[in-house]
Amino acid sequence: VAKATGLPEDLYHDLVAKAEQAIKTSLRQRPVNVKDAVVKERNFKKLRQRSVEVSEFSYRPVACEHD
C-alpha cells in the first residue's frame, strides 16, 4: 500500500473491461432488483462503486530472483 500511495497521480488510469467476444443472441428481460428494495425498506444506505483505478509497478518477492 505504501508503494501505491507513493506513485505519481499520472501513472493511474481507469480500468476498462472488454468483452471476450461479440454477443450473438438477443437481450433478455432484466429481473427486478430485489436487493435495492430490501435496502430501502430497512433504511440502510445504498453504497455503489463509482470507478476502479489501477496502476502497475514491479514487485519481487524476497525469495525470487526476478520481478
Side-chain angles (χ1 to χ4, degrees):
V1 174
K3 267 189 177 182
T5 56
L7 293 174
E9 289 294 322
D10 60 333
L11 289 181
Y12 284 94
H13 59 279
D14 289 334
L15 179 64
V16 179
K18 297 178 184 175
E20 293 180 8
Q21 56 186 334
I23 298 172
K24 298 178 183 177
T25 60
S26 61
L27 295 175
R28 63 179 177 88
Q29 280 279 345
R30 187 177 178 106
V32 177
N33 193 347
V34 178
K35 183 178 180 180
D36 279 347
V38 171
V39 168
K40 193 175 209 178
E41 176 185 314
R42 295 182 183 179
N43 295 324
F44 290 121
K45 185 177 180 181
K46 183 168 56 171
L47 302 175
R48 294 283 182 206
Q49 182 176 347
R50 287 190 216 145
S51 66
V52 177
E53 293 181 344
V54 294
S55 183
E56 294 182 23
F57 55 89
S58 61
Y59 170 71
R60 183 186 333 194
V62 176
C64 295
E65 295 180 10
H66 303 285
D67 289 352

Short mmCIF file of all heavy atoms in Angstrom, two decimals:
data_model
loop_
_atom_site.label_atom_id
_atom_site.label_comp_id
_atom_site.label_asym_id
_atom_site.label_seq_id
_atom_site.Cartn_x
_atom_site.Cartn_y
_atom_site.Cartn_z
N VAL A 1 0.83 -1.19 0.00
CA VAL A 1 0.00 0.00 0.00
C VAL A 1 0.88 1.25 0.00
O VAL A 1 0.56 2.22 -0.67
CB VAL A 1 -0.95 -0.01 1.22
CG1 VAL A 1 -1.73 1.28 1.32
CG2 VAL A 1 -1.88 -1.19 1.17
N ALA A 2 1.98 1.19 0.71
CA ALA A 2 2.86 2.36 0.76
C ALA A 2 3.43 2.66 -0.62
O ALA A 2 3.55 3.82 -1.02
CB ALA A 2 3.98 2.13 1.75
N LYS A 3 3.78 1.61 -1.40
CA LYS A 3 4.29 1.82 -2.76
C LYS A 3 3.23 2.46 -3.64
O LYS A 3 3.51 3.36 -4.41
CB LYS A 3 4.70 0.49 -3.38
CG LYS A 3 6.12 0.13 -3.21
CD LYS A 3 6.45 -1.09 -4.06
CE LYS A 3 7.90 -1.44 -3.95
NZ LYS A 3 8.27 -2.57 -4.78
N ALA A 4 1.99 1.99 -3.53
CA ALA A 4 0.91 2.51 -4.37
C ALA A 4 0.59 3.96 -4.04
O ALA A 4 0.33 4.76 -4.93
CB ALA A 4 -0.34 1.65 -4.22
N THR A 5 0.61 4.32 -2.78
CA THR A 5 0.30 5.71 -2.42
C THR A 5 1.45 6.65 -2.76
O THR A 5 1.24 7.83 -2.93
CB THR A 5 -0.03 5.83 -0.91
OG1 THR A 5 1.06 5.29 -0.16
CG2 THR A 5 -1.31 5.12 -0.57
N GLY A 6 2.67 6.11 -2.91
CA GLY A 6 3.81 6.94 -3.24
C GLY A 6 3.98 7.19 -4.74
O GLY A 6 4.84 7.96 -5.13
N LEU A 7 3.18 6.56 -5.57
CA LEU A 7 3.29 6.73 -7.02
C LEU A 7 2.66 8.04 -7.47
O LEU A 7 1.69 8.50 -6.88
CB LEU A 7 2.58 5.57 -7.74
CG LEU A 7 3.21 4.20 -7.59
CD1 LEU A 7 2.33 3.14 -8.22
CD2 LEU A 7 4.59 4.17 -8.22
N PRO A 8 3.20 8.64 -8.52
CA PRO A 8 2.61 9.89 -9.04
C PRO A 8 1.20 9.64 -9.61
O PRO A 8 0.89 8.56 -10.10
CB PRO A 8 3.56 10.30 -10.18
CG PRO A 8 4.74 9.42 -10.09
CD PRO A 8 4.41 8.26 -9.23
N GLU A 9 0.38 10.65 -9.55
CA GLU A 9 -1.02 10.54 -10.00
C GLU A 9 -1.14 10.23 -11.48
O GLU A 9 -2.09 9.59 -11.91
CB GLU A 9 -1.78 11.83 -9.68
CG GLU A 9 -2.05 12.04 -8.20
CD GLU A 9 -2.99 11.00 -7.63
OE1 GLU A 9 -3.95 10.61 -8.32
OE2 GLU A 9 -2.75 10.57 -6.49
N ASP A 10 -0.18 10.67 -12.31
CA ASP A 10 -0.31 10.45 -13.75
C ASP A 10 -0.10 8.99 -14.16
O ASP A 10 -0.38 8.61 -15.30
CB ASP A 10 0.65 11.37 -14.53
CG ASP A 10 2.11 11.13 -14.17
OD1 ASP A 10 2.38 10.68 -13.05
OD2 ASP A 10 2.96 11.40 -15.03
N LEU A 11 0.36 8.14 -13.25
CA LEU A 11 0.51 6.72 -13.55
C LEU A 11 -0.82 5.96 -13.43
O LEU A 11 -0.95 4.86 -13.94
CB LEU A 11 1.54 6.07 -12.62
CG LEU A 11 2.99 6.45 -12.85
CD1 LEU A 11 3.89 5.72 -11.86
CD2 LEU A 11 3.42 6.13 -14.27
N TYR A 12 -1.79 6.54 -12.76
CA TYR A 12 -3.09 5.89 -12.58
C TYR A 12 -3.97 6.11 -13.80
O TYR A 12 -3.92 7.15 -14.43
CB TYR A 12 -3.80 6.44 -11.34
CG TYR A 12 -3.22 5.90 -10.05
CD1 TYR A 12 -2.25 6.59 -9.36
CD2 TYR A 12 -3.64 4.69 -9.54
CE1 TYR A 12 -1.71 6.10 -8.20
CE2 TYR A 12 -3.11 4.19 -8.37
CZ TYR A 12 -2.14 4.91 -7.70
OH TYR A 12 -1.61 4.40 -6.54
N HIS A 13 -4.78 5.11 -14.12
CA HIS A 13 -5.74 5.22 -15.21
C HIS A 13 -6.96 4.35 -14.89
O HIS A 13 -6.88 3.46 -14.06
CB HIS A 13 -5.12 4.81 -16.55
CG HIS A 13 -4.61 3.40 -16.56
ND1 HIS A 13 -3.39 3.05 -16.04
CD2 HIS A 13 -5.17 2.25 -17.00
CE1 HIS A 13 -3.21 1.75 -16.17
NE2 HIS A 13 -4.28 1.24 -16.75
N ASP A 14 -8.09 4.63 -15.53
CA ASP A 14 -9.31 3.88 -15.30
C ASP A 14 -9.20 2.49 -15.91
O ASP A 14 -8.63 2.32 -16.99
CB ASP A 14 -10.52 4.59 -15.90
CG ASP A 14 -10.87 5.84 -15.11
OD1 ASP A 14 -10.54 5.89 -13.92
OD2 ASP A 14 -11.49 6.75 -15.69
N LEU A 15 -9.72 1.50 -15.22
CA LEU A 15 -9.73 0.14 -15.71
C LEU A 15 -10.91 -0.03 -16.66
O LEU A 15 -12.06 0.23 -16.30
CB LEU A 15 -9.86 -0.85 -14.54
CG LEU A 15 -9.90 -2.32 -14.88
CD1 LEU A 15 -8.59 -2.75 -15.51
CD2 LEU A 15 -10.17 -3.15 -13.64
N VAL A 16 -10.64 -0.46 -17.89
CA VAL A 16 -11.68 -0.65 -18.89
C VAL A 16 -11.80 -2.14 -19.18
O VAL A 16 -10.84 -2.77 -19.63
CB VAL A 16 -11.35 0.12 -20.20
CG1 VAL A 16 -12.42 -0.11 -21.23
CG2 VAL A 16 -11.17 1.59 -19.90
N ALA A 17 -12.96 -2.70 -18.90
CA ALA A 17 -13.18 -4.13 -19.15
C ALA A 17 -13.71 -4.31 -20.56
O ALA A 17 -14.60 -3.59 -21.00
CB ALA A 17 -14.18 -4.68 -18.14
N LYS A 18 -13.13 -5.27 -21.28
CA LYS A 18 -13.54 -5.53 -22.66
C LYS A 18 -14.23 -6.89 -22.74
O LYS A 18 -13.87 -7.82 -22.04
CB LYS A 18 -12.33 -5.53 -23.58
CG LYS A 18 -11.61 -4.21 -23.63
CD LYS A 18 -10.40 -4.28 -24.53
CE LYS A 18 -9.64 -2.96 -24.49
NZ LYS A 18 -8.40 -3.04 -25.26
N ALA A 19 -15.21 -7.01 -23.62
CA ALA A 19 -15.89 -8.28 -23.83
C ALA A 19 -14.98 -9.24 -24.57
O ALA A 19 -14.23 -8.84 -25.46
CB ALA A 19 -17.17 -8.06 -24.62
N GLU A 20 -15.03 -10.52 -24.20
CA GLU A 20 -14.17 -11.52 -24.84
C GLU A 20 -14.62 -11.79 -26.28
O GLU A 20 -13.80 -12.05 -27.15
CB GLU A 20 -14.19 -12.81 -24.04
CG GLU A 20 -13.52 -12.66 -22.68
CD GLU A 20 -13.53 -13.94 -21.88
OE1 GLU A 20 -13.91 -14.99 -22.43
OE2 GLU A 20 -13.15 -13.89 -20.72
N GLN A 21 -15.93 -11.75 -26.53
CA GLN A 21 -16.43 -12.00 -27.87
C GLN A 21 -17.77 -11.28 -28.05
O GLN A 21 -18.40 -10.88 -27.08
CB GLN A 21 -16.62 -13.50 -28.11
CG GLN A 21 -17.51 -14.19 -27.10
CD GLN A 21 -17.53 -15.69 -27.30
OE1 GLN A 21 -17.30 -16.16 -28.39
NE2 GLN A 21 -17.80 -16.43 -26.25
N ALA A 22 -18.19 -11.12 -29.29
CA ALA A 22 -19.44 -10.42 -29.58
C ALA A 22 -20.63 -11.31 -29.19
O ALA A 22 -20.60 -12.52 -29.37
CB ALA A 22 -19.52 -10.08 -31.06
N ILE A 23 -21.69 -10.69 -28.69
CA ILE A 23 -22.89 -11.41 -28.29
C ILE A 23 -23.76 -11.65 -29.51
O ILE A 23 -24.08 -10.71 -30.24
CB ILE A 23 -23.66 -10.61 -27.21
CG1 ILE A 23 -22.78 -10.45 -25.98
CG2 ILE A 23 -24.96 -11.31 -26.86
CD1 ILE A 23 -23.35 -9.53 -24.94
N LYS A 24 -24.16 -12.91 -29.74
CA LYS A 24 -24.92 -13.26 -30.94
C LYS A 24 -26.42 -13.44 -30.66
O LYS A 24 -27.20 -13.62 -31.57
CB LYS A 24 -24.37 -14.56 -31.54
CG LYS A 24 -22.93 -14.43 -32.00
CD LYS A 24 -22.41 -15.73 -32.54
CE LYS A 24 -20.94 -15.60 -32.93
NZ LYS A 24 -20.37 -16.85 -33.40
N THR A 25 -26.81 -13.42 -29.40
CA THR A 25 -28.22 -13.63 -29.05
C THR A 25 -28.88 -12.30 -28.72
O THR A 25 -28.23 -11.27 -28.58
CB THR A 25 -28.33 -14.57 -27.84
OG1 THR A 25 -27.63 -13.98 -26.73
CG2 THR A 25 -27.73 -15.93 -28.14
N SER A 26 -30.20 -12.34 -28.55
CA SER A 26 -30.93 -11.12 -28.19
C SER A 26 -30.88 -10.91 -26.67
O SER A 26 -30.63 -11.84 -25.92
CB SER A 26 -32.38 -11.22 -28.66
OG SER A 26 -33.00 -12.31 -28.02
N LEU A 27 -31.11 -9.68 -26.26
CA LEU A 27 -31.08 -9.35 -24.84
C LEU A 27 -32.28 -9.96 -24.12
O LEU A 27 -33.38 -10.02 -24.68
CB LEU A 27 -31.08 -7.84 -24.66
CG LEU A 27 -29.85 -7.11 -25.19
CD1 LEU A 27 -30.06 -5.60 -25.04
CD2 LEU A 27 -28.62 -7.55 -24.45
N ARG A 28 -32.08 -10.38 -22.88
CA ARG A 28 -33.17 -10.94 -22.09
C ARG A 28 -33.76 -9.85 -21.20
O ARG A 28 -33.17 -8.80 -21.02
CB ARG A 28 -32.67 -12.10 -21.23
CG ARG A 28 -31.63 -11.68 -20.20
CD ARG A 28 -31.20 -12.87 -19.37
NE ARG A 28 -30.15 -12.51 -18.43
CZ ARG A 28 -30.36 -12.04 -17.22
NH1 ARG A 28 -31.58 -11.86 -16.77
NH2 ARG A 28 -29.36 -11.73 -16.42
N GLN A 29 -34.94 -10.12 -20.68
CA GLN A 29 -35.58 -9.20 -19.75
C GLN A 29 -34.76 -9.12 -18.47
O GLN A 29 -34.36 -10.13 -17.92
CB GLN A 29 -36.99 -9.68 -19.40
CG GLN A 29 -38.03 -9.37 -20.42
CD GLN A 29 -38.51 -7.93 -20.29
OE1 GLN A 29 -38.28 -7.28 -19.29
NE2 GLN A 29 -39.17 -7.45 -21.33
N ARG A 30 -34.49 -7.92 -18.00
CA ARG A 30 -33.74 -7.76 -16.76
C ARG A 30 -34.67 -8.05 -15.57
O ARG A 30 -35.78 -7.50 -15.51
CB ARG A 30 -33.20 -6.34 -16.68
CG ARG A 30 -32.28 -6.12 -15.52
CD ARG A 30 -31.71 -4.71 -15.53
NE ARG A 30 -30.87 -4.54 -14.37
CZ ARG A 30 -29.55 -4.51 -14.42
NH1 ARG A 30 -28.95 -4.64 -15.56
NH2 ARG A 30 -28.85 -4.34 -13.32
N PRO A 31 -34.24 -8.89 -14.62
CA PRO A 31 -35.09 -9.19 -13.47
C PRO A 31 -35.22 -7.99 -12.54
O PRO A 31 -34.40 -7.07 -12.56
CB PRO A 31 -34.36 -10.34 -12.78
CG PRO A 31 -32.95 -10.23 -13.21
CD PRO A 31 -32.99 -9.63 -14.58
N VAL A 32 -36.24 -8.00 -11.72
CA VAL A 32 -36.47 -6.92 -10.76
C VAL A 32 -35.35 -6.95 -9.73
O VAL A 32 -34.96 -8.01 -9.24
CB VAL A 32 -37.84 -7.11 -10.06
CG1 VAL A 32 -38.06 -6.04 -9.02
CG2 VAL A 32 -38.94 -7.11 -11.09
N ASN A 33 -34.82 -5.79 -9.38
CA ASN A 33 -33.73 -5.70 -8.41
C ASN A 33 -34.31 -5.75 -7.00
O ASN A 33 -34.74 -4.74 -6.44
CB ASN A 33 -32.93 -4.42 -8.63
CG ASN A 33 -31.62 -4.44 -7.88
OD1 ASN A 33 -31.41 -5.27 -7.01
ND2 ASN A 33 -30.74 -3.52 -8.22
N VAL A 34 -34.32 -6.93 -6.42
CA VAL A 34 -34.90 -7.15 -5.09
C VAL A 34 -34.01 -6.55 -4.02
O VAL A 34 -34.49 -6.04 -3.01
CB VAL A 34 -35.11 -8.66 -4.85
CG1 VAL A 34 -35.68 -8.93 -3.47
CG2 VAL A 34 -36.01 -9.25 -5.91
N LYS A 35 -32.71 -6.61 -4.22
CA LYS A 35 -31.77 -6.12 -3.21
C LYS A 35 -31.99 -4.65 -2.90
O LYS A 35 -32.00 -4.24 -1.73
CB LYS A 35 -30.34 -6.36 -3.68
CG LYS A 35 -29.30 -5.96 -2.66
CD LYS A 35 -27.91 -6.27 -3.17
CE LYS A 35 -26.86 -5.88 -2.16
NZ LYS A 35 -25.52 -6.17 -2.62
N ASP A 36 -32.17 -3.81 -3.94
CA ASP A 36 -32.38 -2.38 -3.71
C ASP A 36 -33.65 -2.13 -2.90
O ASP A 36 -33.68 -1.25 -2.04
CB ASP A 36 -32.46 -1.63 -5.04
CG ASP A 36 -31.09 -1.35 -5.63
OD1 ASP A 36 -30.09 -1.50 -4.90
OD2 ASP A 36 -31.02 -0.98 -6.81
N ALA A 37 -34.70 -2.90 -3.16
CA ALA A 37 -35.95 -2.74 -2.41
C ALA A 37 -35.76 -3.09 -0.94
O ALA A 37 -36.28 -2.42 -0.05
CB ALA A 37 -37.04 -3.60 -3.03
N VAL A 38 -35.01 -4.16 -0.67
CA VAL A 38 -34.78 -4.57 0.72
C VAL A 38 -33.93 -3.54 1.44
O VAL A 38 -34.20 -3.18 2.59
CB VAL A 38 -34.10 -5.97 0.76
CG1 VAL A 38 -33.66 -6.32 2.17
CG2 VAL A 38 -35.02 -7.03 0.21
N VAL A 39 -32.91 -3.01 0.78
CA VAL A 39 -32.05 -1.99 1.39
C VAL A 39 -32.87 -0.75 1.72
O VAL A 39 -32.75 -0.17 2.80
CB VAL A 39 -30.88 -1.64 0.44
CG1 VAL A 39 -30.14 -0.38 0.89
CG2 VAL A 39 -29.91 -2.80 0.33
N LYS A 40 -33.73 -0.34 0.81
CA LYS A 40 -34.58 0.84 1.03
C LYS A 40 -35.58 0.59 2.16
O LYS A 40 -35.80 1.45 3.01
CB LYS A 40 -35.32 1.17 -0.27
CG LYS A 40 -35.97 2.51 -0.28
CD LYS A 40 -36.57 2.76 -1.65
CE LYS A 40 -36.59 4.23 -1.96
NZ LYS A 40 -37.12 4.51 -3.29
N GLU A 41 -36.16 -0.61 2.18
CA GLU A 41 -37.16 -0.96 3.20
C GLU A 41 -36.55 -0.95 4.61
O GLU A 41 -37.19 -0.54 5.56
CB GLU A 41 -37.70 -2.35 2.88
CG GLU A 41 -38.67 -2.91 3.89
CD GLU A 41 -39.06 -4.34 3.53
OE1 GLU A 41 -39.36 -4.58 2.36
OE2 GLU A 41 -39.02 -5.18 4.43
N ARG A 42 -35.32 -1.38 4.73
CA ARG A 42 -34.66 -1.45 6.04
C ARG A 42 -33.92 -0.16 6.41
O ARG A 42 -33.21 -0.10 7.41
CB ARG A 42 -33.68 -2.63 6.05
CG ARG A 42 -34.39 -3.95 5.92
CD ARG A 42 -33.42 -5.10 6.00
NE ARG A 42 -34.10 -6.36 5.80
CZ ARG A 42 -33.51 -7.53 5.79
NH1 ARG A 42 -32.20 -7.62 5.99
NH2 ARG A 42 -34.19 -8.63 5.60
N ASN A 43 -34.05 0.87 5.58
CA ASN A 43 -33.44 2.18 5.81
C ASN A 43 -31.92 2.15 5.91
O ASN A 43 -31.32 2.87 6.70
CB ASN A 43 -34.04 2.83 7.07
CG ASN A 43 -35.50 3.13 6.90
OD1 ASN A 43 -35.94 3.49 5.82
ND2 ASN A 43 -36.26 2.96 7.97
N PHE A 44 -31.29 1.30 5.10
CA PHE A 44 -29.84 1.27 5.01
C PHE A 44 -29.38 2.24 3.93
O PHE A 44 -30.15 2.61 3.05
CB PHE A 44 -29.31 -0.13 4.67
CG PHE A 44 -29.47 -1.13 5.78
CD1 PHE A 44 -30.21 -2.28 5.60
CD2 PHE A 44 -28.88 -0.92 7.02
CE1 PHE A 44 -30.36 -3.22 6.60
CE2 PHE A 44 -29.02 -1.84 8.03
CZ PHE A 44 -29.75 -2.99 7.83
N LYS A 45 -28.13 2.61 3.99
CA LYS A 45 -27.55 3.48 2.97
C LYS A 45 -27.08 2.62 1.81
O LYS A 45 -26.39 1.62 2.00
CB LYS A 45 -26.37 4.25 3.56
CG LYS A 45 -25.78 5.27 2.62
CD LYS A 45 -24.67 6.03 3.32
CE LYS A 45 -24.07 7.05 2.38
NZ LYS A 45 -22.98 7.78 3.03
N LYS A 46 -27.45 2.99 0.59
CA LYS A 46 -27.07 2.23 -0.60
C LYS A 46 -25.69 2.70 -1.06
O LYS A 46 -25.49 3.86 -1.40
CB LYS A 46 -28.10 2.43 -1.70
CG LYS A 46 -27.81 1.63 -2.95
CD LYS A 46 -28.95 1.59 -3.94
CE LYS A 46 -29.42 2.92 -4.39
NZ LYS A 46 -30.37 2.86 -5.49
N LEU A 47 -24.71 1.78 -1.06
CA LEU A 47 -23.35 2.10 -1.46
C LEU A 47 -23.10 1.57 -2.86
O LEU A 47 -23.40 0.42 -3.16
CB LEU A 47 -22.34 1.48 -0.49
CG LEU A 47 -22.47 1.88 0.97
CD1 LEU A 47 -21.49 1.10 1.81
CD2 LEU A 47 -22.25 3.36 1.13
N ARG A 48 -22.54 2.39 -3.73
CA ARG A 48 -22.23 2.00 -5.10
C ARG A 48 -20.79 2.38 -5.41
O ARG A 48 -20.34 3.47 -5.07
CB ARG A 48 -23.15 2.70 -6.11
CG ARG A 48 -24.58 2.29 -6.00
CD ARG A 48 -24.77 0.93 -6.63
NE ARG A 48 -26.18 0.58 -6.56
CZ ARG A 48 -26.61 -0.64 -6.54
NH1 ARG A 48 -25.76 -1.65 -6.57
NH2 ARG A 48 -27.87 -0.90 -6.48
N GLN A 49 -20.09 1.49 -6.10
CA GLN A 49 -18.73 1.77 -6.53
C GLN A 49 -18.79 2.67 -7.75
O GLN A 49 -19.46 2.37 -8.73
CB GLN A 49 -18.04 0.45 -6.87
CG GLN A 49 -16.61 0.60 -7.28
CD GLN A 49 -15.95 -0.74 -7.50
OE1 GLN A 49 -16.48 -1.77 -7.14
NE2 GLN A 49 -14.81 -0.72 -8.11
N ARG A 50 -18.08 3.78 -7.73
CA ARG A 50 -18.11 4.73 -8.83
C ARG A 50 -17.12 4.36 -9.93
O ARG A 50 -17.43 4.45 -11.10
CB ARG A 50 -17.81 6.13 -8.32
CG ARG A 50 -18.93 6.70 -7.54
CD ARG A 50 -18.69 8.17 -7.26
NE ARG A 50 -19.21 8.45 -5.93
CZ ARG A 50 -18.69 9.29 -5.09
NH1 ARG A 50 -17.61 9.95 -5.41
NH2 ARG A 50 -19.23 9.47 -3.91
N SER A 51 -15.91 3.97 -9.54
CA SER A 51 -14.90 3.63 -10.54
C SER A 51 -13.80 2.79 -9.90
O SER A 51 -13.74 2.65 -8.68
CB SER A 51 -14.29 4.90 -11.15
OG SER A 51 -13.56 5.59 -10.15
N VAL A 52 -12.93 2.25 -10.74
CA VAL A 52 -11.78 1.48 -10.29
C VAL A 52 -10.54 2.10 -10.91
O VAL A 52 -10.50 2.31 -12.12
CB VAL A 52 -11.90 0.00 -10.72
CG1 VAL A 52 -10.67 -0.78 -10.32
CG2 VAL A 52 -13.14 -0.63 -10.14
N GLU A 53 -9.55 2.42 -10.10
CA GLU A 53 -8.30 2.97 -10.60
C GLU A 53 -7.20 1.93 -10.40
O GLU A 53 -7.14 1.28 -9.36
CB GLU A 53 -7.93 4.26 -9.87
CG GLU A 53 -8.88 5.39 -10.18
CD GLU A 53 -8.48 6.66 -9.47
OE1 GLU A 53 -7.67 6.60 -8.53
OE2 GLU A 53 -8.99 7.72 -9.87
N VAL A 54 -6.36 1.77 -11.41
CA VAL A 54 -5.28 0.79 -11.33
C VAL A 54 -3.95 1.44 -11.68
O VAL A 54 -3.90 2.47 -12.36
CB VAL A 54 -5.53 -0.41 -12.29
CG1 VAL A 54 -6.73 -1.20 -11.86
CG2 VAL A 54 -5.67 0.05 -13.71
N SER A 55 -2.89 0.84 -11.20
CA SER A 55 -1.55 1.28 -11.53
C SER A 55 -0.65 0.05 -11.53
O SER A 55 -0.93 -0.94 -10.86
CB SER A 55 -1.04 2.29 -10.50
OG SER A 55 0.24 2.74 -10.87
N GLU A 56 0.44 0.09 -12.29
CA GLU A 56 1.36 -1.03 -12.36
C GLU A 56 2.72 -0.63 -11.80
O GLU A 56 3.17 0.50 -11.99
CB GLU A 56 1.54 -1.48 -13.82
CG GLU A 56 0.29 -2.07 -14.42
CD GLU A 56 0.54 -2.55 -15.84
OE1 GLU A 56 1.71 -2.84 -16.18
OE2 GLU A 56 -0.44 -2.63 -16.59
N PHE A 57 3.34 -1.54 -11.09
CA PHE A 57 4.70 -1.36 -10.63
C PHE A 57 5.34 -2.73 -10.48
O PHE A 57 4.65 -3.73 -10.34
CB PHE A 57 4.77 -0.55 -9.32
CG PHE A 57 3.95 -1.13 -8.20
CD1 PHE A 57 4.49 -2.07 -7.34
CD2 PHE A 57 2.65 -0.73 -8.01
CE1 PHE A 57 3.74 -2.60 -6.31
CE2 PHE A 57 1.88 -1.24 -6.98
CZ PHE A 57 2.44 -2.19 -6.13
N SER A 58 6.66 -2.78 -10.56
CA SER A 58 7.34 -4.07 -10.47
C SER A 58 7.37 -4.53 -9.02
O SER A 58 7.45 -3.72 -8.09
CB SER A 58 8.76 -3.97 -11.03
OG SER A 58 9.50 -3.03 -10.29
N TYR A 59 7.31 -5.85 -8.82
CA TYR A 59 7.30 -6.42 -7.49
C TYR A 59 8.15 -7.68 -7.51
O TYR A 59 8.02 -8.51 -8.40
CB TYR A 59 5.86 -6.76 -7.07
CG TYR A 59 5.79 -7.59 -5.81
CD1 TYR A 59 6.09 -7.04 -4.58
CD2 TYR A 59 5.42 -8.93 -5.86
CE1 TYR A 59 6.01 -7.80 -3.42
CE2 TYR A 59 5.33 -9.70 -4.71
CZ TYR A 59 5.64 -9.13 -3.49
OH TYR A 59 5.57 -9.87 -2.35
N ARG A 60 9.04 -7.81 -6.56
CA ARG A 60 9.85 -9.02 -6.45
C ARG A 60 9.76 -9.55 -5.03
O ARG A 60 10.21 -8.90 -4.08
CB ARG A 60 11.31 -8.72 -6.77
CG ARG A 60 12.14 -9.98 -6.74
CD ARG A 60 13.62 -9.79 -6.90
NE ARG A 60 14.00 -8.61 -7.64
CZ ARG A 60 15.20 -8.40 -8.11
NH1 ARG A 60 16.14 -9.28 -7.94
NH2 ARG A 60 15.48 -7.29 -8.76
N PRO A 61 9.16 -10.75 -4.87
CA PRO A 61 9.16 -11.36 -3.53
C PRO A 61 10.60 -11.63 -3.08
O PRO A 61 11.52 -11.75 -3.88
CB PRO A 61 8.42 -12.68 -3.76
CG PRO A 61 7.60 -12.45 -4.98
CD PRO A 61 8.40 -11.51 -5.83
N VAL A 62 10.79 -11.75 -1.78
CA VAL A 62 12.13 -11.86 -1.20
C VAL A 62 12.88 -13.07 -1.74
O VAL A 62 14.07 -12.98 -2.05
CB VAL A 62 12.01 -11.96 0.35
CG1 VAL A 62 13.39 -12.17 0.98
CG2 VAL A 62 11.37 -10.71 0.89
N ALA A 63 12.22 -14.22 -1.92
CA ALA A 63 12.89 -15.45 -2.31
C ALA A 63 13.08 -15.58 -3.82
O ALA A 63 13.65 -16.57 -4.27
CB ALA A 63 12.12 -16.66 -1.78
N CYS A 64 12.64 -14.63 -4.63
CA CYS A 64 12.71 -14.74 -6.09
C CYS A 64 13.88 -13.93 -6.65
O CYS A 64 14.31 -12.95 -6.07
CB CYS A 64 11.41 -14.26 -6.72
SG CYS A 64 10.02 -15.29 -6.30
N GLU A 65 14.35 -14.37 -7.84
CA GLU A 65 15.45 -13.66 -8.49
C GLU A 65 14.95 -12.63 -9.50
O GLU A 65 15.69 -11.74 -9.90
CB GLU A 65 16.35 -14.67 -9.21
CG GLU A 65 17.07 -15.62 -8.27
CD GLU A 65 17.94 -16.61 -9.00
OE1 GLU A 65 18.16 -16.44 -10.22
OE2 GLU A 65 18.41 -17.56 -8.34
N HIS A 66 13.71 -12.77 -9.97
CA HIS A 66 13.16 -11.88 -10.99
C HIS A 66 11.92 -11.16 -10.48
O HIS A 66 11.24 -11.63 -9.59
CB HIS A 66 12.79 -12.68 -12.25
CG HIS A 66 13.94 -13.44 -12.82
ND1 HIS A 66 14.96 -12.83 -13.51
CD2 HIS A 66 14.25 -14.76 -12.78
CE1 HIS A 66 15.84 -13.75 -13.88
NE2 HIS A 66 15.42 -14.93 -13.44
N ASP A 67 11.62 -10.01 -11.09
CA ASP A 67 10.40 -9.26 -10.75
C ASP A 67 9.18 -10.01 -11.22
O ASP A 67 9.19 -10.70 -12.20
CB ASP A 67 10.43 -7.88 -11.40
CG ASP A 67 11.47 -6.98 -10.74
OD1 ASP A 67 12.03 -7.38 -9.72
OD2 ASP A 67 11.71 -5.90 -11.29
#
